[in-house]
């Protein structure tokens, strides 16, 4: 009897030990979780609110009148109540103007051209500065801004890949249903034409001076730059 | 294009400067801003409450009352404000729609009042924002049902328009309140279902002893009476089933429905019993079949709304129930195994195998504790107590969760279905709006060409043939036009695209490309030349004849060119590429001389217009002396050296000329 009781007790002990160790093993394997985790809620203060500088300062810095700045700001604040535009919002806004195709890539490049300080968000000052150049600036300024747009990595030179990306992004905005049908190498041909025109010394990259020179030679481009004079 | 984003249109247009150096063609002219009014405040007096907003805010939606000139009817000269004798509360929502682009539906508003106000202001309810759309649709549906119920109760006495006999029967079956006969039928079947179920139950009650034998259940003692009852019930059920089958609008679907399967299963045992003899071998199986007679109780679900709802919620809660079952099974297996091994040592243990321990585990976990199996070892007792404790948790916890899930899932399911149904409709709306905006551009291009051509022709009364587009729309279209010019491609709609694809694929087959043709750098020249060829055509000029006829003023002669033969017929050395190309095309087309000359003249006439960057260059042929042509053609080819093939692979294969 005693032997049986002892055997029983040992058996009990053995089983208990086996069970506990198997639970621990499962916990280590990550199948079950025995520790008590405190899940901390991280309150991300993402509500960044930005207020622009005063109206007088902006008027002095840009070529817009007070009224025009007011209209611009009202529109800006309507779409972005927090005062800054991030890339997603920018892409959404821009995409609304081009329902046929995909405007996201071109909007991406545009955003980086607007975001001069590379902070990832465009404030009203950046917005208005860029618009001032584009709508009211001199030809030189406009061309420089465009060069900056094309120069994706901002190294001061435009190479074929960058141009290819830009042109591809523009063609993407056209969408699928075009006349004539968009072929695969149409963007590449377009880029080749562009480089032939712009790259004076045929070294495969376009510098700012080459760009300025070539554009000023081309009547069409000069005329088109004046197109949006009275947009406001 | 959302009107709220209209404020960003200047930015988008300014950003278009980024395309300029890339483009090879001159850009179209921008639309002039005819009304250079300063933005002014408008006062809207709605039943005494004054709202003020900018004029441009209201003009965002020109096809509503406030955005169009219709509001001038409400202008009060004395007070210089617009007076509306309407509800100011709803007007708040309406005005916010202009400001933010989103229309909201306030919950406290009556749905019909809201609808009336929207109709007054010319706003479609479909544009209610997603946040409020569900609520709106729900209320609207309730309202509609209420109206329908009112109508029905009115119409109940009237005779329905002649339904066929079959349809009336089906209606009677589905809704017993339609006629007295249906109601009688409903109650009769209900009664017989109850009788049948009670019979089945009473059949098995021991009914007193017949002297000389053991106690008999009533079924065997009064077997004849029970048999008659059973027969009667089955008769009724069979007749009912056959009548339903006859009246069903879709017999196949009826046969597959759950209720009809229950009906069949309920009456089958009787017939099988009739067919089978009192053979001892099969009577065992027959006995089990009689179990199915209890399914007759499910026939009550036709009579009880509550049963149906219960069944439905059980179905929708199936995942929760499944999970409960799964977790229970897991726990049972674990504990049964542990108990078996714990009790293995003890003598005369009831825990002979793990499946045998299942019974103990289930009884313990559900806190039943019959006591027929009891652990004797210490280990067994320890684990037995852990088992019963965990049983309480495992069973008790999910049950309230399931109960609350019932109501939550039930409502949620309904809402999810609604949302799914609405999502399709919503996506369709969004798609329509998108195609609408792109179609608007194509449409306006067509109209733009039309109106400007008519202007050139000097018929002033036709000038306003096209719809007047707002300034914002015209600016947006100008922007899209610039993009077209930059990429030398045009926007067309889907059908045109498919037609073009088919045409070009059909035409690519019979011809071979000459290797000397490089499609490479001819874009600068060909841009203008192609454009000049194409300026005579209206964008959707692959239109079928009916639509062409609708444009009465201009009849376009559509000359189909084939792409490749024209290229291969071109080995003529040329300095002036375009005209040769045209001539080549004309030759290959074998068009008659008058047409070809018209072609030539028309194209020549277009040459000078290339420079002026107007899209609607003369559809009228301006007779220019042929001497002009070489000069005209060499002009657009300054910067591209090398052999120019005027038609790259993307050239148009269609030359369209409009004959006056």
């Amino acid at each position: 009897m005693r032997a049986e009781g002892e055997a029983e007790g040992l058996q009990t002990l053995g089983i208990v030990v086996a069970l506990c160790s198997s639970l621990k093993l499962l916990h280590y394997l990550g199948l079950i979780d025995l520790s008590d985790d405190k899940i901390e809620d991280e309150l991300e203060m993402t509500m960044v609110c930005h207020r622009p500088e005063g109206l007088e300062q902006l008027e002095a810095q840009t070529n817009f009148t007070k009224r025009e700045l007011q209209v611009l700001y009202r529109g800006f604040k309507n779409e972005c109540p927090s005062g800054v535009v991030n890339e997603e919002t920018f892409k959404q806004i821009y995409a609304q103007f081009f329902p046929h195709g995909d405007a996201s890539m071109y909007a991406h490049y545009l955003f980086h051209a607007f975001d001069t300080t590379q902070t990832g968000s465009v404030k009203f000052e950046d917005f208005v500065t860029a618009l001032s150049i584009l709508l009211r600036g001199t030809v030189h300024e406009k061309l420089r801004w465009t060069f900056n747009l094309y120069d994706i990595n901002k190294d001061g030179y435009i190479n074929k890949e960058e141009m290819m990306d830009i042109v591809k992004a523009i063609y993407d905005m056209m969408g699928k249903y075009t006349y004539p049908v968009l072929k695969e190498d149409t963007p590449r041909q377009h880029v080749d034409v562009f480089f032939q025109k712009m790259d004076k010394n045929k070294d495969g990259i376009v510098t700012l001076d080459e760009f300025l020179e070539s554009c000023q030679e081309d009547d069409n481009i000069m005329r088109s730059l004046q197109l949006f004079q009275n947009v406001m | 294009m959302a009107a709220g984003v209209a404020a960003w249109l200047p930015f988008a247009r300014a950003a278009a400067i980024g395309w300029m150096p890339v483009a090879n063609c001159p850009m179209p002219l921008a639309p002039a801003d005819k009304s250079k009014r300063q933005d002014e405040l408008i006062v809207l007096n709605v039943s005494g409450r004054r709202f003020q907003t900018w004029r441009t805010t209201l003009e965002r939606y020109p096809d509503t009352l406030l955005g169009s000139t219709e509001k001038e009817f409400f202008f009060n000269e004395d007070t210089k404000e617009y007076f509306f004798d309407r509800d100011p509360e709803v007007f708040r929502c309406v005005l916010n729609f202009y400001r933010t682009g989103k229309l909201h539906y306030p919950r406290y508003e009556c749905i019909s009042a809201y609808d009336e106000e929207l109709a007054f202001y010319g706003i479609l309810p479909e544009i209610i924002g997603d946040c409020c759309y569900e609520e709106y649709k729900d209320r609207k549906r309730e309202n509609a049902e209420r109206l329908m119920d009112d109508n029905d109760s009115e119409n109940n006495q009237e005779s329905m328009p002649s339904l066929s006999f079959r349809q009336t029967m089906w209606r009677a079956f589905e809704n017993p309140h339609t006629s007295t006969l249906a109601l009688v039928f409903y109650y009769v079947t209900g009664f017989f279902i109850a009788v049948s179920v009670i019979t089945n139950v009473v059949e098995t009650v021991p009914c007193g002893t017949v002297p000389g034998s053991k106690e008999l259940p009533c079924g065997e003692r009064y077997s004849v009476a029970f048999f008659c009852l059973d027969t009667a019930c089955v008769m009724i059920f069979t007749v009912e089933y056959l009548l339903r089958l006859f009246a069903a609008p879709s017999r196949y679907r009826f046969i597959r429905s759950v209720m009809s399967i229950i009906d069949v299963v309920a009456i089958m045992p009787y017939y099988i019993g009739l067919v089978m003899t009192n053979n001892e071998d099969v009577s065992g199986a027959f006995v089990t079949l009689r179990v199915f007679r209890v399914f007759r109780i499910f026939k009550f679900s036709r009579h009880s709304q509550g049963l149906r709802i219960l069944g439905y919620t059980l179905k929708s809660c199936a995942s929760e129930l499944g999970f409960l079952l799964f977790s229970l099974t897991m726990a049972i297996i674990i504990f049964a195994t542990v108990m078996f091994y714990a009790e293995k040592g003890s003598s005369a243990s009831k825990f002979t195998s793990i499946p045998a321990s299942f019974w103990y585990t289930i009884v313990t976990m559900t806190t039943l504790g019959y006591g027929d199996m009891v652990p004797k070892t210490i280990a067994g007792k320890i684990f037995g107590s852990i088992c019963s404790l965990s049983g309480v948790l495992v069973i008790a916890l999910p049950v309230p969760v399931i109960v609350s899930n019932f109501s939550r899932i039930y409502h949620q399911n309904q809402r999810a279905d609604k949302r799914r149904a609405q999502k399709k409709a919503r996506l369709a709306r969004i798609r329509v709006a998108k195609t609408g905006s792109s179609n608007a551009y194509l449409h306006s291009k067509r109209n733009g060409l039309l109106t400007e051509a008519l202007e050139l022709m000097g018929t002033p009364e036709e000038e306003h043939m096209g719809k007047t587009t707002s300034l914002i729309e015209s600016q947006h279209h100008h922007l899209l036009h610039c993009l077209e010019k930059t990429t030398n491609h045009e926007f067309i709609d889907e059908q045109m695209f498919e037609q073009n694809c088919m045409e070009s694929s059909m035409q690519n087959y019979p011809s071979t490309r000459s290797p000397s043709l490089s499609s490479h750098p001819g874009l600068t020249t060909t841009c203008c030349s192609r454009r000049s060829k194409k300026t005579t055509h209206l964008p959707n000029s692959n239109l079928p004849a009916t639509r062409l006829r609708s444009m009465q003023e201009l009849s376009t002669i559509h000359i189909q060119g084939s792409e490749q033969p024209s290229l291969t017929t071109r080995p003529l050395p040329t300095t002036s590429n375009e005209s040769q190309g045209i001539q080549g095309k004309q030759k290959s087309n074998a068009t008659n001389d008058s047409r070809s000359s018209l072609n030539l003249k028309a194209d020549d006439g277009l040459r000078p217009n290339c420079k002026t960057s107007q899209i609607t260059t003369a559809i009228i042929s301006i007779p220019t002396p042929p001497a002009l042509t070489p000069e005209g053609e060499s002009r657009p080819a300054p910067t591209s050296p090398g052999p120019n093939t005027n038609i790259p692979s993307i050239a148009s294969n269609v030359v369209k000329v409009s004959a006056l």
Side-chain angles (χ1 to χ4, degrees):
Chain A
M1 271 313 248
R2 236 180 82 94
E4 219 179 271
E6 253 177 45
E8 223 184 83
L10 280 177
Q11 208 180 26
T12 315
L13 213 58
I15 292 178
V16 168
V17 167
L19 253 181
C20 290
S21 54
S22 61
L23 281 177
K24 252 331 200 208
L25 180 67
L26 283 178
H27 172 55
Y28 279 132
L29 287 178
L31 292 174
I32 55 179
D33 208 349
L34 290 179
S35 58
D36 45 355
D37 283 335
K38 285 199 219 0
I39 302 164
E40 278 129 20
D41 291 352
E42 294 167 17
L43 284 176
E44 290 179 36
M45 301 295 291
T46 46
M47 281 315 288
V48 176
C49 206
H50 178 85
R51 291 206 169 75
E53 312 165 2
L55 203 47
E56 286 81 15
Q57 280 169 292
L58 278 178
E59 196 190 4
Q61 285 171 8
T62 65
N63 304 333
F64 289 120
T65 64
K66 261 199 193 158
R67 268 206 109 95
E68 290 167 339
L69 282 172
Q70 282 179 339
V71 172
L72 276 174
Y73 188 68
R74 283 206 295 266
F76 185 85
K77 185 115 176 138
N78 208 16
E79 275 304 301
C80 320
S82 59
V84 294
V85 197
N86 58 4
E87 195 169 330
E88 270 315 303
T89 322
F90 196 88
K91 280 185 178 171
Q92 277 171 21
I93 294 173
Y94 201 70
Q96 302 216 27
F97 294 107
F98 301 99
H100 309 266
D102 176 24
S104 57
M105 277 322 287
Y106 190 68
H108 170 79
Y109 297 130
L110 259 187
F111 185 80
H112 286 285
F114 268 74
D115 184 16
T116 43
T117 47
Q118 301 300 322
T119 52
S121 62
V122 169
K123 302 190 290 297
F124 183 62
E125 289 94 338
D126 302 327
F127 180 69
V128 140
T129 316
L131 270 189
S132 162
I133 295 177
L134 287 173
L135 297 179
R136 301 284 162 90
T138 64
V139 166
H140 203 82
E141 288 173 345
K142 290 182 191 176
L143 286 175
R144 184 173 302 144
W145 189 90
T146 316
F147 185 85
N148 191 35
L149 171 69
Y150 295 160
D151 182 15
I152 298 178
N153 55 3
K154 312 283 180 246
D155 63 352
Y157 304 106
I158 304 178
N159 53 15
K160 264 205 177 171
E161 284 78 32
E162 291 174 334
M163 209 51 220
M164 197 52 208
D165 289 336
I166 297 272
V167 169
K168 185 94 192 15
I170 294 180
Y171 272 93
D172 279 343
M173 285 198 281
M174 289 295 292
K176 209 170 79 143
Y177 302 119
T178 58
Y179 176 81
V181 179
L182 263 181
K183 301 255 165 58
E184 279 300 312
D185 57 349
T186 311
R188 201 179 43 76
Q189 291 171 18
H190 208 129
V191 172
D192 291 333
V193 168
F194 178 82
F195 259 79
Q196 273 200 333
K197 197 162 57 164
M198 299 284 162
D199 192 9
K200 294 278 184 237
N201 56 358
K202 307 290 172 210
D203 60 352
I205 51 178
V206 177
T207 63
L208 179 59
D209 301 315
E210 286 177 342
F211 184 74
L212 290 174
E213 210 185 308
S214 321
C215 287
Q216 278 164 338
E217 282 172 7
D218 189 341
D219 283 338
N220 277 341
I221 296 182
M222 287 293 112
R223 221 187 347 252
S224 325
L225 286 178
Q226 308 302 326
L227 200 59
F228 296 110
Q229 278 294 55
N230 42 357
V231 160
M232 279 306 297
Chain B
M1 190 185 69
V5 193
W8 284 67
L9 189 60
F11 144 71
R13 301 183 71 211
I17 288 186
W19 309 333
M20 301 302 152
V22 177
N24 303 308
C25 285
M27 292 288 143
L29 284 182
D33 195 348
K34 295 193 187 82
S35 57
K36 261 296 193 185
R37 270 189 313 210
Q38 287 289 1
D39 208 358
E40 45 164 337
L41 278 178
I42 300 188
V43 181
L44 301 159
N45 183 350
V46 182
S47 302
R49 220 196 291 180
R50 280 187 175 71
F51 297 87
Q52 291 184 329
T53 181
W54 299 108
R55 183 175 285 274
T56 46
T57 310
L58 290 182
E59 283 169 0
R60 284 187 194 152
Y61 297 97
D63 52 354
T64 56
L65 184 150
L66 291 173
S68 63
T69 52
E70 197 183 339
K71 63 177 183 285
E72 302 301 326
F73 285 101
F74 298 91
F75 189 65
N76 190 345
E77 288 294 339
D78 309 322
T79 50
K80 292 275 180 269
E81 59 188 19
Y82 294 89
F83 181 74
F84 297 95
D85 202 6
R86 311 286 302 190
D87 187 359
E89 301 292 326
V90 181
F91 189 77
R92 205 174 52 82
C93 299
V94 168
L95 196 54
N96 276 337
F97 165 63
Y98 286 89
R99 290 176 181 142
T100 61
K102 290 195 234 94
L103 182 61
H104 294 281
Y105 170 62
R107 280 164 203 235
Y108 53 82
E109 257 333 302
C110 167
I111 186 80
S112 16
Y114 190 73
D115 270 343
E116 273 173 31
E117 293 295 311
L118 284 188
F120 178 79
Y121 293 108
I123 297 174
L124 293 174
E126 269 65 41
I127 49 180
I128 291 184
D130 285 347
C131 41
C132 301
Y133 191 68
E134 226 178 83
E135 171 84 19
Y136 174 79
K137 272 288 180 225
D138 283 348
R139 297 275 288 268
K140 194 140 187 208
R141 199 169 28 92
E142 282 172 29
N143 201 36
E145 281 168 8
R146 181 182 59 82
L147 287 174
M148 234 169 34
D149 281 343
D150 288 348
N151 276 346
D152 275 351
S153 61
E154 275 178 30
N155 291 342
N156 241 352
Q157 279 68 32
E158 307 166 15
S159 60
M160 297 297 293
S162 56
L163 293 172
S164 72
F165 174 63
R166 200 173 139 181
Q167 283 171 327
T168 28
M169 251 175 61
W170 183 247
R171 269 188 82 236
F173 279 136
E174 292 299 297
N175 190 3
H177 299 285
T178 44
S179 66
T180 9
L181 191 60
L183 210 56
V184 164
F185 185 75
Y186 175 78
Y187 281 126
V188 163
T189 41
F191 173 70
F192 272 99
I193 294 173
V195 162
S196 155
V197 167
I198 292 175
T199 316
N200 286 345
V201 165
V202 168
E203 230 177 32
T204 59
V205 171
C207 232
T209 53
V210 167
S213 72
K214 58 179 171 58
E215 225 173 270
L216 278 180
C218 284
E220 283 178 33
R221 195 152 163 209
Y222 302 103
S223 58
V224 177
F226 278 106
F227 181 72
C228 293
L229 265 178
D230 208 19
T231 313
C233 295
V234 169
M235 280 298 118
I236 302 280
F237 295 154
T238 318
V239 163
E240 183 208 351
Y241 181 71
L242 289 174
L243 281 180
R244 275 184 205 266
L245 188 62
F246 167 67
S250 158
R251 300 224 171 100
Y252 178 61
R253 203 151 49 95
F254 173 73
I255 289 183
R256 282 192 330 180
S257 72
V258 173
M259 288 313 300
S260 88
I261 291 178
I262 290 178
D263 287 339
V264 169
V265 164
I267 59 181
M268 261 323 171
Y270 176 77
Y271 289 110
I272 295 178
L274 275 187
V275 165
M276 282 199 302
T277 59
N278 247 346
N279 202 344
E280 277 302 316
D281 299 336
V282 295
S283 67
F286 175 56
V287 161
T288 30
L289 266 182
R290 298 181 88 182
V291 160
F292 286 103
R293 290 186 304 171
V294 80
F295 274 79
R296 288 175 196 167
I297 211 171
F298 284 114
K299 288 165 72 79
F300 266 130
S301 68
R302 273 211 189 95
H303 298 254
S304 156
Q305 176 81 336
L307 260 184
R308 276 208 295 270
I309 292 179
L310 182 65
Y312 175 74
T313 49
L314 275 179
K315 205 164 42 146
S316 65
C317 258
S319 64
E320 309 324 269
L321 288 175
F323 170 70
L324 171 62
L325 219 58
F326 175 68
S327 62
L328 262 182
T329 314
M330 251 180 38
I332 288 173
I333 292 178
I334 291 176
F335 279 110
T337 313
V338 167
M339 288 307 295
F340 171 70
Y341 283 112
E343 285 288 303
K344 203 151 183 232
S346 87
S347 53
S349 146
K350 289 246 177 68
F351 295 79
T352 49
S353 63
I354 294 186
S357 318
F358 278 171
W359 175 242
Y360 168 76
T361 318
I362 293 175
V363 165
T364 314
M365 282 185 87
T366 52
T367 68
L368 279 176
Y370 288 136
D372 54 348
M373 281 164 86
V374 172
K376 291 197 175 57
T377 59
I378 302 178
K381 288 185 178 154
I382 293 176
F383 290 118
S385 37
I386 298 176
C387 178
S388 62
L389 286 174
S390 67
V392 168
L393 291 175
V394 169
I395 301 263
L397 269 183
V399 169
V401 172
I402 287 184
V403 164
S404 72
N405 267 4
F406 271 179
S407 47
R408 186 177 59 84
I409 290 176
Y410 180 66
H411 289 297
Q412 216 180 45
N413 251 2
Q414 289 205 322
R415 238 179 286 141
D417 285 336
K418 264 189 278 175
R419 217 179 302 130
R420 236 172 285 134
Q422 285 164 15
K423 185 173 176 185
K424 277 205 306 201
R426 259 210 316 280
L427 285 179
R429 274 187 295 141
I430 291 173
R431 224 180 308 128
V432 163
K434 250 187 130 180
T435 53
S437 81
S438 49
N439 281 342
Y441 174 59
L442 299 170
H443 192 65
S444 83
K445 249 198 338 188
R446 226 181 305 139
N447 278 349
L449 285 175
L450 210 52
T451 48
E452 294 199 35
L454 292 169
E455 275 170 24
L456 282 170
M457 286 189 356
T459 47
E461 64 267 15
E462 307 287 354
E463 261 176 29
H464 300 290
M465 205 172 103
K467 267 203 307 227
T468 48
T469 51
S470 69
L471 182 66
I472 286 183
E473 261 192 62
S474 62
Q475 287 178 347
H476 187 209
H477 292 160
H478 174 250
L479 184 65
L480 290 172
H481 203 142
C482 286
L483 181 60
E484 282 186 340
K485 282 278 167 283
T486 307
T487 55
N488 288 324
H489 288 67
E490 282 189 2
F491 291 114
I492 50 173
D493 55 5
E494 249 182 274
Q495 299 103 302
M496 296 304 128
F497 181 71
E498 253 122 56
Q499 275 186 35
N500 286 344
C501 281
M502 285 198 305
E503 282 168 12
S504 57
S505 64
M506 282 192 307
Q507 280 156 10
N508 274 333
Y509 278 119
S511 52
T512 56
R513 291 199 62 164
S514 83
S516 64
L517 302 171
S518 61
S519 54
H520 168 59
L523 281 179
T524 40
T525 53
T526 57
C527 150
C528 293
S529 64
R530 236 178 355 95
R531 204 172 47 73
S532 62
K533 280 191 218 106
K534 278 204 320 214
T535 45
T536 52
H537 93 280
L538 307 165
N540 287 333
S541 44
N542 274 340
L543 297 172
T546 50
R547 282 177 91 180
L548 280 179
R549 261 181 248 122
S550 69
M551 303 184 206
Q552 291 285 328
E553 305 300 313
L554 302 168
S555 60
T556 48
I557 303 173
H558 177 168
I559 301 173
Q560 187 86 23
S562 65
E563 187 182 314
Q564 304 303 355
S566 68
L567 292 172
T568 51
T569 54
R570 255 193 86 277
L572 327 161
T574 59
T575 52
S576 56
N577 311 312
E578 290 87 355
S579 65
Q580 292 298 334
I582 300 167
Q583 283 170 1
K585 272 194 182 174
Q586 295 165 359
K587 281 184 197 135
S588 67
N589 291 342
T591 52
N592 53 23
D593 282 338
S594 61
R595 271 192 188 169
S596 56
S597 60
L598 195 57
N599 262 344
L600 196 54
K601 262 201 251 166
D603 280 339
D604 290 347
L606 300 170
R607 216 60 58 172
N609 288 315
C610 192
K611 266 204 120 123
T612 62
S613 75
Q614 285 215 9
I615 49 166
T616 57
T617 51
I619 304 183
I620 314 155
S621 64
I622 302 170
T624 47
L628 208 49
T629 38
E631 171 193 319
E633 280 150 12
S634 60
R635 238 196 295 113
T639 55
S640 64
N644 262 332
T645 69
N646 56 335
I647 306 166
S649 54
I650 52 177
S652 72
N653 53 359
V654 173
V655 175
K656 290 150 183 71
V657 175
S658 74
L660 294 174

